[in-house]
Each structure stands twice: as C-alpha cells, then as structure tokens.
Amino acid sequence: VDAFQAWCGPCKTAVDLFRKIRNEIGSDLLHFAVAEVDSVDALAKYRGKSEPVFLFYAEGELVATVRGLNAPLLQKTILEQL
C-alpha cells in the first residue's frame, strides 16, 4: 500500500516499479494499492510526513514498512515478503 497525503499524491514512480516486478515474477500474490492517509483513520500515524510510506501486508497483518522511495529496498522487501 502506497500511503500518501492528498497534497503530494501517490508515488507514480513506485507504480512503475511494482508493475515491473510483477511482470518479472508473474506472481498473483503481489497486489498494489494506494491509500490517502488523511481519509483513513487507521493510517493517521503516517500523516504529516513528506515522504512516501509503503506498507506490506500478508494475511491482513502489517509485515514490513519502507519509508521513502528507495527502489532497491522496495524490490528487496517485495521479494522477501513473497
């Protein structure tokens, strides 16, 4: 989940990265979503940040968080979680 604030919008670069990874591994386990933290009470702790936050869930549980657009770390985290 790309957790973003309305004033900065979702991270378009991350969408391209996730598409590339999904095409390479061909996994139906990888799903990408965006959530505006200002309108989701459960994400209130991510408000007021000027960097994107990527939340990784498995079976409904938060399993990893990556702050900032660090493509190598995002890719590593995705592969580890899959």
Side-chain angles (χ1 to χ4, degrees):
V1 177
D2 176 1
F4 71 94
Q5 289 195 230
W7 54 268
C8 65
C11 186
K12 292 179 174 45
T13 304
V15 173
D16 293 338
L17 174 66
F18 287 129
R19 271 196 198 116
K20 177 182 174 263
I21 293 170
R22 185 166 184 179
N23 287 338
E24 287 175 0
I25 62 173
S27 176
D28 289 335
L29 297 176
L30 179 61
H31 301 280
F32 180 71
V34 294
E36 184 181 344
V37 299
D38 295 323
S39 59
V40 180
D41 289 337
L43 299 176
K45 68 181 179 180
Y46 301 106
R47 293 178 187 155
K49 309 291 187 229
S50 63
E51 64 183 357
V53 177
F54 300 93
L55 309 171
F56 295 85
Y57 289 87
E59 298 179 11
E61 297 292 323
L62 181 64
V63 295
T65 302
V66 174
R67 295 182 185 276
L69 183 59
N70 179 335
L73 180 57
L74 279 170
Q75 184 165 356
K76 178 182 178 217
T77 304
I78 290 168
L79 297 175
E80 286 174 350
Q81 295 305 318
L82 288 175

